[in-house]
Amino acid sequence: MNKNFKVKKQKFFLFSQIPLFFAKHTRSMIALLCLLLFLSIAGIYGFLSEGKASSDVLDYVTGDFDTRVGLDFLKEYFNVAGDAMFSVAGANQDLELAEHIDNITQIGGVEQLIWYNTLDAFDSIGLLLSLFTDITIDTSEFKSFLKQPIDDSNSIYLVLILHEYSPSSSEAFELLKSIELELSPRVVSFAGMTATAVNVMNDTLNELPMYMLIAALAVLLVFTLSSRSLTETLVLLVVIFVSVALNIGVNYLLPEVSVVGVATSALFQLGISLSFFSIILNYYREKRIISKTPFDAIKLTIADKWPAIFASCTISTVAVFALSFMSISIGFEIAFSLVRGLLTSAFVTLILSPSLLILLDKLTTKTQFKHPIKLKPPATKFSFKISLAILTITAIIGALSFIGQKRMHFSYFKMYENTTQLSHEGMGAAQLSNQLIVAMPVIPKTNLSHANYISEIKQVDGVEHVLGAFSAIDIDPSLLIKLIPIMPDNIMKFFSNVDGVWYTMTTVVLDGDVNNPNFINTYAKINEITNKYFNQAYKFGVLSGVYDMSTITTYDFNLISLIVFIFIALSLTVIFKSPLKGLLISLILQISIYSSLSLYTLLFKNINFLVYLLSTVIHIPVFLSQTLTIFAGYNKNVNNKIKNSIKFTSQNAFRDVWRSALAFASGCIGVEIFANNLIVKNLTALLALGSLTIALLITLTMPTILVILNKPATLADLKEPDDSDPYLLEGTEYADLIDE
């Protein structure tokens, strides 16, 4: 150790002896690492093989939403919980296809199936009625929709199936496999909620390893360029891999996990691990210069940085659970996944990285770059006037960003970009995706008729077809009820007696993408007309889900943002013993969120509503860990009488903050480029923008807050004294030594 430096007794924070134990007993650490990897891989295998992931967002819609009420009604009285619609090509008179479709009706779980040949039963009833009455049945609209010509001899057949399984259940997935197997080798294009759930599940889980590999390579490149040794980057990659694997493996212990939560948590962990590791590595480098052994440097690092990381983890854990206040239950599900990811990354980073840095200390020295790239901050003098100006500009940007993010357009259940070139089967499936099922009483309100109802619905913008019993037959509802008991079984399934009231189902086919904001007005109009004609009707489909989510998205965002703001402001007030400091830092966090959303609005058209809601919390751990580290470092520099404490603190923070931010942003951009799932693309784009926005605001505003308040921040009240460490620098030459 340099003789010019004095030392004093070091204090250790609560639980900080745990990483010190493993740093001292490296064999124990290696054994723990191997055990964690084994358990993680076993857990991941069990999680994937037993199908514990859920990919249907509508499963989490609870309460009095139209979609939930409709789902519950159809499940109870029609035994319908999901759909499995598809299109397939065949000859104009295809007896083989008809045989296959008949076989599909016998597959377990299939409750109702409508296709072109189903209309023969309606035609038979119409023929019978025509013998005794003047009632006629016209199925031409049905037929033109369910059978669409390709050429003179071939057509595309659209098949509508309603089944008893939840769309994201393993039984529903097996149903689609059975249908595909039955129709093989014909090309089948699926649509509907079950098909979407299958695609999201398969694509997300299959592509997640690729996402993480792309992110890891990007991080490897950027982090290596700003590191002093390749060994440091390898340690980071090990930490990230173990953290993500352990968190995914833990999912095996849970009954069901949202696949959206799994993917989000993995990306979330990437940013947390980068931030925490950068904090530890930067300080370890400094202390290694003045320490006799790498273990001494780690002791100083843990003692100094553990309080800030522990405090940021504690506050972030509670803040992330603000997602539980979302109006749909997936909020708690995702919050739980994110918190597990946060705690797992913190645990692995603080346990594993110190031990690996000690073990690889000599290798780090041998693999040092001769001319490493240094991130140097601009030569800024944070005077009071400049600091006040920076905060004023930040406040103006915050106000403009708050207004800007209000102009965002949302997508809801759109998981993939529109494909311009589709096969005939694909175009047929696209039509099947845009449907709304309405269960209504057979007898409408007094003096109103189904014929007029259907006529009004068809006049609504965006409605292409209305398909149901009363769209094919103009008959007195009371007479139809008398005929129901003698109808063929495949027709009777479209009716159900609910407490003495007969209900039937009508399908409203829409023209266009139901995620388009214009269709929210379409649903509202359909709802208005339906309520006009019937005392009680139940709606179910992607469009009803879009409408339900549109009513809560902005409200939930504002509610979660307010909860997060108040909680973090109060928490930081307690830590810093300064209400003003807590309020300012919490405001800057909100400004960073609004700024990243506004930038996203300028660069992209739409954002998934879940990603929009997640933006309220996904940046919190990184922001707090960096901020608390800056304030704690400033306090230490002041206490150690280092000259120009604010300048030195900001310079040190600049390297730390921007190294992790650039590495994380590059990883997210890499994933965004190659991802297919729109939720993943939206999330990674927002995370990249957010990380850079936070880095900019932290490096500009935190020093200015220190200047304006002119009072050292402290985390001393969170520490517990310990006399075991003989090394702690106290002198004025330290800053010069680090610069060298």
Side-chain angles (χ1 to χ4, degrees):
M1 187 175 69
N2 191 303
K3 65 180 182 179
N4 294 325
F5 295 105
K6 302 175 183 179
V7 298
K8 68 178 183 179
K9 298 294 183 181
Q10 177 66 20
K11 298 178 180 180
F12 282 95
F13 183 63
L14 182 66
F15 305 133
S16 61
Q17 294 291 354
I18 298 175
L20 289 178
F21 170 82
F22 286 105
K24 189 173 183 179
H25 302 85
T26 52
R27 292 183 179 179
S28 299
M29 184 279 301
I30 294 174
L32 176 64
L33 172 61
C34 294
L35 177 63
L36 290 177
L37 284 175
F38 174 78
L39 293 176
S40 300
I41 294 172
I44 292 172
Y45 175 79
F47 169 67
L48 297 177
S49 61
E50 296 188 15
K52 291 194 172 187
S54 171
S55 55
D56 181 24
V57 177
L58 290 179
D59 275 352
Y60 298 94
V61 178
T62 56
D64 297 328
F65 291 112
D66 286 355
T67 306
R68 182 77 268 159
V69 174
L71 274 169
D72 292 342
F73 179 84
L74 291 175
K75 178 62 178 176
E76 182 174 359
Y77 296 107
F78 288 88
N79 199 30
V80 169
D83 57 36
M85 301 177 287
F86 63 89
S87 66
V88 61
N92 288 338
Q93 301 295 327
D94 201 323
L95 297 179
E96 180 186 353
L97 178 60
E99 183 179 348
H100 287 309
I101 299 296
D102 287 341
N103 292 338
I104 290 173
T105 61
Q106 305 304 315
I107 297 175
V110 175
E111 287 296 319
Q112 300 177 16
L113 185 149
I114 303 177
W115 80 299
Y116 185 80
N117 284 12
T118 308
L119 303 178
D120 292 341
F122 279 97
D123 292 335
S124 299
I125 295 173
L127 179 62
L128 181 63
L129 289 173
S130 66
L131 296 176
F132 304 100
T133 69
D134 58 356
I135 297 173
T136 59
I137 291 181
D138 181 10
T139 59
S140 58
E141 185 176 5
F142 273 92
K143 289 180 177 180
S144 64
F145 176 67
L146 296 176
K147 182 181 178 181
Q148 302 175 13
I150 298 175
D151 50 41
D152 293 339
S153 57
N154 296 286
S155 298
I156 286 292
Y157 292 89
L158 306 185
V159 183
L160 288 73
I161 295 177
L162 299 178
H163 56 75
E164 63 178 275
Y165 307 126
S166 170
S168 64
S169 65
S170 57
E171 293 86 356
F173 289 8
E174 287 299 321
L175 175 59
L176 260 62
K177 289 181 182 178
S178 299
I179 293 172
E180 195 167 23
L181 183 62
E182 176 65 35
L183 294 171
S184 178
R186 296 174 189 256
V187 176
V188 182
S189 289
F190 288 101
M193 292 175 295
T194 303
T196 299
V198 169
N199 291 335
V200 171
M201 178 77 74
N202 292 338
D203 288 351
T204 302
L205 294 181
N206 292 339
E207 293 179 1
L208 186 58
M210 183 192 72
Y211 296 159
M212 298 311 296
L213 177 61
I214 292 171
L217 292 175
V219 168
L220 177 67
L221 175 63
V222 176
F223 200 85
T224 300
L225 291 175
S226 61
S227 296
R228 298 181 184 178
S229 169
L230 181 61
T231 305
E232 296 172 349
T233 306
L234 295 178
V235 171
L236 171 63
L237 292 180
V238 171
V239 168
I240 293 173
F241 175 77
V242 175
S243 300
V244 174
L246 181 60
N247 190 37
I248 296 177
V250 170
N251 291 323
Y252 175 70
L253 303 176
L254 303 173
E256 188 177 71
V257 180
S258 167
V259 70
V260 175
V262 174
T264 303
S265 184
L267 295 168
F268 186 63
Q269 286 184 273
L270 178 64
I272 294 170
S273 298
L274 265 168
S275 179
F276 288 178
F277 182 73
S278 293
I279 291 171
I280 291 174
L281 178 63
N282 192 44
Y283 202 75
Y284 171 76
R285 286 174 179 171
E286 298 171 358
K287 295 306 178 186
R288 187 66 187 95
I289 297 173
I290 61 170
S291 300
K292 293 180 179 179
T293 66
F295 181 71
D296 291 336
I298 284 295
K299 288 177 70 176
L300 295 172
T301 302
I302 295 298
D304 198 274
K305 298 305 177 186
W306 183 282
I309 293 177
F310 183 87
S312 68
C313 284
T314 303
I315 298 172
S316 299
T317 296
V318 180
V320 167
F321 269 117
L323 288 175
S324 302
F325 288 90
M326 282 173 58
S327 301
I328 55 177
S329 60
I330 197 174
F332 176 80
E333 178 85 28
I334 295 178
F336 187 53
S337 294
L338 295 181
V339 167
R340 284 190 290 106
L342 166 63
L343 298 180
T344 302
S345 292
F347 171 78
V348 173
T349 304
L350 292 169
I351 295 296
L352 192 56
S353 57
S355 302
L356 290 177
L357 289 173
I358 291 174
L359 278 175
L360 302 175
D361 183 70
K362 292 183 179 179
L363 182 61
T364 301
T365 303
K366 292 180 180 179
T367 58
Q368 280 186 345
F369 302 123
K370 292 183 178 180
H371 303 288
I373 297 176
K374 296 181 179 180
L375 293 172
K376 293 186 177 181
T380 303
K381 182 180 180 182
F382 289 97
S383 65
F384 184 85
K385 289 184 179 180
I386 292 177
S387 299
L388 195 59
I390 290 175
L391 285 184
T392 302
I393 294 172
T394 302
I396 294 173
I397 291 173
L400 294 175
S401 298
F402 178 78
I403 297 171
Q405 60 88 26
K406 293 289 185 182
R407 301 171 63 87
M408 299 194 78
H409 297 294
F410 304 111
S411 64
Y412 295 93
F413 302 108
K414 184 177 181 180
M415 300 301 174
Y416 303 95
E417 294 284 5
N418 294 330
T419 304
T420 54
Q421 295 183 342
L422 290 174
S423 63
H424 292 292
E425 293 86 355
M427 288 186 287
Q431 295 179 65
L432 290 170
S433 297
N434 304 327
Q435 295 190 51
L436 177 69
I437 298 172
V438 184
M440 68 209 26
V442 172
I443 299 179
K445 291 180 180 180
T446 306
N447 299 324
L448 296 175
S449 68
H450 282 273
N452 290 336
Y453 169 74
I454 292 170
S455 177
E456 284 196 40
I457 292 294
K458 285 184 176 180
Q459 294 175 21
V460 176
D461 289 341
V463 174
E464 186 174 15
H465 300 285
V466 179
L467 307 176
F470 287 97
S471 60
I473 179 172
D474 187 7
I475 187 174
D476 181 82
S478 299
L479 177 58
L480 180 63
I481 289 175
K482 294 178 181 179
L483 295 175
I484 290 174
I486 63 173
M487 288 182 178
D489 289 342
N490 60 338
I491 302 298
M492 282 186 65
K493 287 184 177 181
F494 293 94
F495 299 91
S496 180
N497 192 311
V498 181
D499 299 328
V501 178
W502 280 96
Y503 277 77
T504 186
M505 286 191 295
T506 295
T507 299
V508 179
V509 181
L510 304 158
D511 181 19
D513 182 4
V514 295
N515 283 279
N516 188 307
N518 293 332
F519 274 97
I520 294 175
N521 297 327
T522 298
Y523 179 84
K525 188 63 178 178
I526 292 173
N527 215 14
E528 178 187 337
I529 297 172
T530 303
N531 292 335
K532 170 185 171 182
Y533 278 82
F534 304 100
N535 290 319
Q536 183 66 61
Y538 301 89
K539 280 77 66 178
F540 168 65
V542 174
L543 180 57
S544 65
V546 168
Y547 179 81
D548 288 337
M549 296 304 98
S550 71
T551 62
I552 63 152
T553 299
T554 303
Y555 173 81
D556 282 2
F557 177 86
N558 292 332
L559 176 62
I560 296 169
S561 297
L562 181 62
I563 293 171
V564 168
F565 172 76
I566 293 174
F567 174 74
I568 290 180
L570 291 175
S571 300
L572 295 180
T573 295
V574 172
I575 289 177
F576 293 128
K577 299 179 181 179
S578 169
L580 181 57
K581 200 172 295 182
L583 181 63
L584 283 175
I585 295 175
S586 189
L587 276 173
I588 290 172
L589 171 61
Q590 292 302 314
I591 290 173
S592 68
I593 293 171
Y594 294 142
S595 299
S596 59
L597 286 171
S598 295
L599 287 173
Y600 186 98
T601 305
L602 292 174
L603 296 174
F604 304 95
K605 292 182 179 179
N606 297 307
I607 187 170
N608 181 272
F609 82 105
L610 278 179
V611 175
Y612 179 66
L613 295 176
L614 286 172
S615 69
T616 57
V617 301
I618 53 177
H619 301 302
I620 291 175
V622 172
F623 177 87
L624 287 181
S625 61
Q626 299 285 7
T627 300
L628 292 176
T629 300
I630 289 173
F631 276 80
Y634 170 69
N635 179 65
K636 180 178 174 57
N637 293 333
V638 170
N639 292 339
N640 288 337
K641 301 178 182 179
I642 296 178
K643 296 178 180 178
N644 301 319
S645 294
I646 293 178
K647 179 181 178 181
F648 177 61
T649 302
S650 63
Q651 287 178 342
N652 225 16
F654 184 92
R655 294 189 291 266
D656 207 14
V657 170
W658 280 100
R659 178 171 55 238
S660 60
L662 291 172
F664 182 53
S666 62
C668 288
I669 291 171
V671 174
E672 198 279 337
I673 292 172
F674 291 97
N676 293 316
N677 188 309
L678 283 179
I679 293 181
V680 175
K681 291 179 76 69
N682 291 174
L683 180 62
T684 49
L686 186 63
L687 284 171
L689 291 172
S691 64
L692 297 176
T693 303
I694 285 176
L696 179 63
L697 286 175
I698 284 179
T699 52
L700 284 178
T701 61
M702 294 308 156
T704 63
I705 291 176
L706 291 174
V707 170
I708 291 174
L709 298 181
N710 195 28
K711 202 173 182 181
T714 178
L715 291 172
D717 54 315
L718 297 176
K719 296 182 179 180
E720 293 182 352
D722 190 295
D723 298 329
S724 60
D725 185 16
Y727 301 105
L728 182 64
L729 172 66
E730 190 175 272
T732 58
E733 300 92 338
Y734 182 43
D736 297 332
L737 179 61
I738 297 303
D739 288 338
E740 292 175 6

